Amino acid sequence: MNLLYNITIQLASVVLKLLSLFNNKLKLGVDGRALTFNKLDQFLNKGDKTLWFHCASLGEYEQGLPIFTELRKDYPNHKIVLSFFSPSGYEIRKKAPFADLVVYLPLDTKNNAKRFINLVNPELTVFVKYEIWPNYLNEIKSRGLRALLISAVFRKDQSFFKWYGSQTKKALFAFEHIFTQNETSKKLLESINYTNATISGDTRFDRVSNQLNTDNNLDFIKAFKDNKLCIVIGSSWPEDETLIIEFINNYLGTPIKFIIAPHNIKSKQIENIQTNLKKPSILFTQKEKKDLSQYDVFILDTIGLLSKAYSYADIAYVGGAMGNTGLHNILEPAVFGAPIIIGKNYQKFPEAFDMIKNKGVKSVSNITELGTELNSLINDPESRLTTGNQNADFIKKNKGAVIQIMQYLRK
């Protein structure tokens, strides 16, 4: 099985290089990984004390950030290496303030793992959620180095729990402790005789709670909203936008403002959204010297503002689950007490199940269901407030993962 895994990784390397000739995102990853060892060699000196944090992409980074920030305080003299696998994480967070060096993680070959660990030699390694790379983890274990997995979430259909998953299953035992998001994940670990696990919850609850302590004022959104009801559509994909645009174009009720923050802010995608809207719309990049109150739709063709924009939401729609790209962070609008609507494909996201059960989140499958849910929230202020409060309370009740994990690390 080890041989098969390593052959697969080698083949993946060849395939990625070929595909990168036609895909800019893949090219960023391939080119970035080619530079990693030189960056490490130039930045790290023999004898440096280091910590290594690894995230697959941006979502895992957001989960790990509260722990990374605390560890930065606890280890002020260590050099911190932060690695990403996906360009969508690296390109946005390559200047992460707590990290001394941010790199792409080379593919999980035995040689890459040995070379990487030789250069970094981390006193502590923290992986986030379910980013499991067997060769890296086996190398860590063979050297007796510490590693933790935080905010872990597992499903019974994953390879760890199948007859053919011996390689990935073995890798889990490189972690001295795994902090899971829920009891189901802990029981799955126990089913393969992994017992060093604790249910700590999701660190994202702590992360989004911190948003309440920051200044979320955006004067241009305040001017745009103009004291009217505001629906924020966050991290939307084309499957989401098709339905949202149809609703906006056909809405005839009391005046409402819509803020759309697309996941993809490439000019072609933004142009497609604006072209299909029949109501007055304005882009973030066009807002200067405009009377924003005269527009019905504000399109955030930029990144980094969505968390603050959610503070202006009376209702939120979070994208990703209408198609198959993956539901985006529903905790961000929840912390501000906004009722939330999502698409139908949320099966891999435990928080969505819990928040639907808690009656703060509604799932829709088509334009009819979307219209029904939105109109219900628009026309019933009391229900809107109650639903939103369910979400805010849910966030408060589920905080505390960071304290639990840091207590373990500090003991």
Side-chain angles (χ1 to χ4, degrees):
M1 196 63 71
N2 289 0
L3 178 62
L4 179 60
Y5 175 81
N6 289 317
I7 290 173
T8 301
I9 292 295
Q10 294 290 355
L11 288 174
S13 176
V14 175
V15 171
L16 284 172
K17 287 178 181 177
L18 290 173
L19 293 177
S20 71
L21 298 174
F22 312 98
N23 184 297
N24 186 57
K25 183 176 179 180
L26 290 178
K27 180 175 171 54
L28 286 171
V30 169
D31 292 347
R33 275 183 275 277
L35 299 173
T36 294
F37 290 123
N38 283 337
K39 288 182 176 181
L40 291 171
D41 196 39
Q42 292 172 12
F43 180 76
L44 296 174
N45 301 308
K46 190 173 182 180
D48 282 344
K49 292 183 177 181
T50 64
L51 305 180
W52 174 28
F53 305 150
H54 176 67
C55 310
S57 190
L58 187 60
E60 289 77 13
Y61 171 87
E62 294 297 332
Q63 283 182 303
L65 185 58
I67 297 298
F68 302 159
T69 303
E70 288 300 308
L71 286 171
R72 171 79 285 176
K73 296 174 186 175
D74 286 6
Y75 295 86
N77 299 319
H78 283 57
K79 288 184 176 179
I80 293 179
V81 176
L82 169 66
S83 63
F84 288 97
F85 188 80
S86 169
S88 59
Y90 176 86
E91 297 300 327
I92 294 175
R93 292 292 181 256
K94 57 188 173 184
K95 294 183 179 179
F98 64 83
D100 297 290
L101 180 65
V102 183
V103 297
Y104 279 98
L105 184 69
L107 290 179
D108 187 36
T109 66
K110 286 187 175 181
N111 286 337
N112 283 346
K114 287 181 179 179
R115 190 176 176 188
F116 188 94
I117 300 302
N118 279 339
L119 288 168
V120 179
N121 190 29
E123 186 175 316
L124 172 68
T125 296
V126 180
F127 278 30
V128 183
K129 199 170 183 179
Y130 41 51
E131 184 76 344
I132 309 298
W133 295 111
N135 285 319
Y136 280 101
L137 289 167
N138 290 336
E139 194 65 30
I140 285 173
K141 186 176 181 180
S142 71
R143 301 186 189 207
L145 299 172
R146 299 186 70 195
L148 296 182
L149 179 62
I150 65 170
S151 285
V153 58
F154 297 104
R155 305 182 310 276
K156 64 181 180 180
D157 62 347
Q158 290 174 304
S159 64
F160 315 111
F161 315 108
K162 301 293 185 179
W163 63 267
Y164 54 80
S166 60
Q167 177 79 342
T168 52
K169 184 185 301 183
K170 178 183 175 184
L172 288 176
F173 287 80
F175 294 112
E176 71 170 55
H177 207 92
I178 296 177
F179 290 91
T180 69
Q181 292 188 29
N182 53 42
E183 185 177 0
T184 299
S185 296
K186 185 172 183 289
K187 286 184 176 179
L188 284 170
L189 289 173
E190 291 170 349
S191 74
I192 59 170
N193 297 317
Y194 185 97
T195 57
N196 296 325
T198 301
I199 304 169
S200 63
D202 190 341
T203 50
R204 286 184 303 164
F205 288 100
D206 300 83
R207 167 73 171 132
V208 298
S209 294
N210 290 337
Q211 193 68 33
L212 296 175
N213 300 321
T214 64
D215 182 2
N216 294 298
N217 290 317
L218 294 172
D219 290 340
F220 60 90
I221 288 186
K222 183 178 181 181
F224 165 75
K225 182 173 180 177
D226 194 30
N227 294 317
K228 295 182 175 63
L229 190 76
C230 182
I231 300 176
V232 177
I233 299 94
S235 299
S236 60
W237 288 79
E239 298 91 341
D240 305 296
E241 290 152 8
T242 297
L243 302 188
I244 289 294
I245 289 171
E246 184 174 347
F247 178 84
I248 294 172
N249 288 342
N250 294 302
Y251 178 72
L252 298 173
T254 55
I256 290 180
K257 296 300 183 94
F258 298 88
I259 297 172
I260 302 177
H263 177 78
N264 184 348
I265 59 169
K266 291 182 179 179
S267 56
K268 185 177 180 180
Q269 184 64 27
I270 298 298
E271 182 182 348
N272 184 62
I273 294 171
Q274 198 164 30
T275 299
N276 285 299
L277 284 166
K278 295 178 182 178
K279 295 189 177 180
S281 63
I282 184 76
L283 304 181
F284 170 83
T285 53
Q286 299 173 339
K287 73 181 189 305
E288 299 304 325
K289 299 181 181 179
K290 299 286 180 66
D291 183 358
L292 300 179
S293 66
Q294 299 304 304
Y295 296 89
D296 294 331
V297 185
F298 194 105
I299 302 171
L300 290 174
D301 57 338
T302 185
I303 60 173
L305 295 177
L306 180 56
S307 294
K308 292 180 183 291
Y310 277 136
S311 70
Y312 291 87
D314 296 292
I315 303 168
Y317 176 98
V318 179
M322 192 57 70
N324 296 305
T325 50
L327 177 64
H328 287 273
N329 194 343
I330 60 175
L331 306 184
E332 287 187 331
V335 76
F336 292 110
I340 299 167
I341 298 174
I342 61 174
K344 57 187 180 296
N345 298 318
Y346 58 86
Q347 291 74 17
K348 295 181 180 180
F349 300 87
E351 70 277 14
F353 278 99
D354 292 339
M355 294 173 74
I356 288 172
K357 184 178 179 181
N358 199 50
K359 299 183 179 180
V361 173
K362 303 288 184 180
S363 171
V364 299
S365 301
N366 51 53
I367 183 60
T368 301
E369 292 178 2
L370 176 65
T372 298
E373 294 297 342
L374 280 176
N375 283 314
S376 175
L377 290 169
I378 290 167
N379 297 319
D380 189 342
E382 185 175 340
S383 174
R384 188 169 67 241
L385 181 63
T386 300
T387 305
N389 285 339
Q390 289 290 95
N391 286 333
D393 290 342
F394 185 79
I395 298 293
K396 291 176 185 176
K397 290 176 183 177
N398 284 279
K399 290 193 305 180
V402 172
I403 292 173
Q404 195 167 357
I405 294 168
M406 291 309 300
Q407 282 178 341
Y408 173 87
L409 286 168
R410 289 166 176 160
K411 68 181 181 182

